[in-house]
């Protein structure tokens, strides 16, 4: 069967890279990119269909499903953790109602597979912070976090109730050079590279010692596509899979950058509201279910990620 893939939220940090990767595999015409905003420069340079879509506009969304009859849908439109705390009701509405619209239309239009991203933000202050297991206490205290946790429950529910083949990953903080992150707590780990190349210094909004799980975008895209390609019987988790990535603190990242940009300096701001969010999240993750179920293996450790990031970013900055 030839695939028709709808990516919603294509202009974002994940969407930009995922659309390119899917078009390389399936051909440009098979991948319909869509976003609430007009295509970004990066999106325009990747030829292929583009639709303006607001996931809260049910009529328009229905029309897009009807027009393209997708076999796979990736729903990436969301409000992230930091922006979500400034606009809590809007974040809940977009993250939750948007998901429910997609799940309903996926059932109605018999979409074969749906991907929806969850996050390390589903964990909270009472979750184990080190090697956080797949199943444990989850008491997220950000709107973003509990919208993702509720979303996971809905995904599993649609799988059990309607047989919808929905798959999900709890992404760590994502780091890539092709697109910027949009309002999360882990954004510092992207900004630092831009500032290292532009000015040789960076003021981190997260404090020294703040370890968080992170992942290079190449690994995140490969994980996503490999989860979506896995035979359905290998998928034992229909809520969302833990993915560990690499855990590091701002000073460990800075030290790695200093090896390639000697003289790079990091400083730390105080009283940033994102610190409390970071402190409520895991420091490291156990992803043995992903390894055992669909053979997940990480490729980029910290030095490899930093070298690749700086090598690519310096050509476009
Ligand atoms: N990277 C996201 C954020 O910081 C977490 O999923 O909000």
């Amino acid at each position: 069967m030839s695939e028709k893939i709808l990516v919603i939220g294509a202009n974002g940090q994940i969407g930009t890279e995922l659309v390119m990767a899917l078009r390389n595999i399936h051909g440009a015409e098979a991948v319909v990119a869509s976003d609430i905003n007009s295509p970004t420069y990066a999106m325009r340079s990747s030829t292929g269909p583009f639709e303006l879509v607001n996931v809260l506009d049910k009529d328009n969304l229905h029309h897009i499903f009807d027009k393209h009859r997708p076999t796979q849908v990736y729903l990436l439109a969301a409000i992230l953790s930091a922006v979500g705390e400034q606009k809590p009701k809007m974040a809940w509405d977009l993250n939750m109602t948007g998901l429910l619209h997609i799940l309903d239309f996926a059932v109605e239009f018999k979409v074969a597979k749906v991907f929806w991203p969850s996050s390390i933000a589903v964990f909270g202050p009472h979750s184990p912070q080190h090697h956080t297991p797949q199943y444990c206490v989850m008491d997220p205290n950000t709107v973003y976090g509990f919208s993702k946790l509720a979303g996971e429950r809905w995904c599993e529910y649609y799988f059990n109730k309607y047989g919808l083949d929905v798959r999900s990953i709890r992404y760590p903080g994502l780091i890539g050079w092709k697109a910027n992150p949009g309002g999360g707590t882990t954004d510092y780990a992207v900004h630092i590279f831009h500032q290292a190349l532009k000015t040789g210094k960076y003021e981190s909004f997260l404090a020294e010692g703040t370890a968080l799980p992170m992942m290079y975008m190449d690994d995140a895209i490969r994980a996503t596509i490999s989860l979506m390609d896995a035979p359905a019987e290998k998928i034992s988790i229909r809520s969302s899979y833990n993915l560990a990535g690499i855990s590091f603190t701002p000073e460990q990242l800075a030290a790695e950058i200093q090896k390639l940009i000697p003289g790079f300096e990091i400083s730390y701001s105080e009283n940033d509201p994102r610190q409390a969010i970071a402190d409520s999240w895991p420091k490291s993750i156990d992803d043995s279910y992903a390894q055992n179920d669909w053979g997940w293996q990480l490729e980029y450790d910290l030095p490899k990620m930093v070298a690749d990031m700086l090598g690519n970013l310096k050509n476009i900055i």
Side-chain angles (χ1 to χ4, degrees):
M1 183 180 74
S2 69
E3 300 285 354
K4 186 68 162 224
I5 303 174
L6 175 62
V7 180
I8 300 169
N11 284 345
Q13 191 196 15
I14 303 171
T16 301
E17 303 218 15
L18 189 64
V19 166
M20 290 181 202
L22 291 170
R23 282 183 174 158
N24 283 338
I25 297 168
H26 300 279
E29 288 306 311
V31 181
V32 181
S34 71
D35 201 279
I36 195 167
N37 296 311
S38 316
T40 54
Y41 176 75
M43 192 48 56
R44 286 201 305 276
S45 58
S46 159
T47 52
F50 186 94
E51 297 276 8
L52 279 176
V53 164
N54 174 357
V55 283
L56 298 179
D57 181 345
K58 222 172 166 179
D59 292 341
N60 172 245
L61 202 54
H62 193 271
H63 164 74
I64 297 294
F65 270 73
D66 197 28
K67 177 175 167 190
H68 293 288
R69 300 276 163 170
T71 57
Q72 291 186 30
V73 176
Y74 292 72
L75 170 59
L76 306 173
I79 291 183
L80 295 188
S81 60
V83 175
E85 293 309 288
Q86 287 150 19
K87 303 172 181 168
K89 300 282 169 47
M90 195 196 279
W92 175 258
D93 198 29
L94 176 70
N95 296 357
M96 209 73 314
T97 311
L99 172 62
L100 289 172
H101 285 167
I102 298 303
L103 293 175
D104 281 337
F105 288 148
V107 172
E108 180 182 337
F109 287 91
K110 300 187 170 49
V111 174
K113 286 183 213 168
V114 175
F115 179 83
W116 174 81
S118 186
S119 160
I120 53 168
V122 293
F123 299 108
H126 292 88
S127 307
Q129 282 209 313
H130 297 275
H131 305 290
T132 308
Q134 178 72 35
Y135 299 106
C136 60
V137 169
M138 297 166 96
D139 57 347
N141 56 16
T142 62
V143 176
Y144 174 71
F146 57 75
S147 73
K148 287 292 179 188
L149 182 53
E152 289 188 4
R153 301 285 87 223
W154 278 116
C155 288
E156 190 187 276
Y157 186 83
Y158 271 68
F159 172 75
N160 287 330
K161 197 95 176 175
Y162 307 109
L164 183 65
D165 188 346
V166 46
R167 306 177 181 201
S168 176
I169 284 172
R170 291 174 181 154
Y171 288 124
L174 297 179
I175 299 170
W177 55 272
K178 292 182 189 149
N180 283 320
T185 301
T186 56
D187 295 13
Y188 96 86
V190 177
H191 298 160
I192 192 172
F193 287 98
H194 289 257
Q195 290 309 313
L197 288 165
K198 279 187 199 146
T199 66
K201 49 185 181 224
Y202 177 66
E203 184 176 272
S204 169
F205 58 76
L206 294 185
E208 244 179 313
T210 312
L212 285 171
M214 302 277 186
M215 182 176 273
Y216 198 41
M217 194 57 91
D218 293 48
D219 272 330
I221 297 296
R222 195 168 51 79
T224 306
I225 292 173
S226 108
L227 171 64
M228 289 297 272
D229 284 348
E233 63 273 14
K234 297 272 185 202
I235 315 291
S236 69
I237 292 173
R238 293 298 180 160
S239 51
S240 190
Y241 277 94
N242 274 10
L243 272 199
I246 33 178
S247 287
F248 54 79
T249 60
E251 66 273 20
Q252 286 169 327
L253 177 55
E256 206 55 51
I257 293 174
Q258 276 155 359
K259 289 183 191 163
L260 300 174
I261 307 181
F264 169 68
E265 284 171 30
I266 185 165
S267 58
Y268 303 90
S269 60
E270 280 171 22
N271 302 323
D272 191 289
R274 289 166 285 193
Q275 184 65 42
I277 301 177
D279 289 339
S280 77
W281 287 354
K283 298 187 187 306
S284 60
I285 298 276
D286 171 18
D287 65 3
S288 42
Y289 279 90
Q291 295 181 39
N292 295 335
D293 283 4
W294 40 279
W296 170 244
Q297 286 297 327
L298 190 77
E299 266 183 21
Y300 285 83
D301 60 9
L302 181 58
K304 193 171 170 190
M305 186 265 288
V306 169
D308 201 77
M309 188 71 186
L310 287 174
N312 281 298
L313 207 52
K314 74 173 191 291
N315 299 325
I316 58 169
I317 260 185

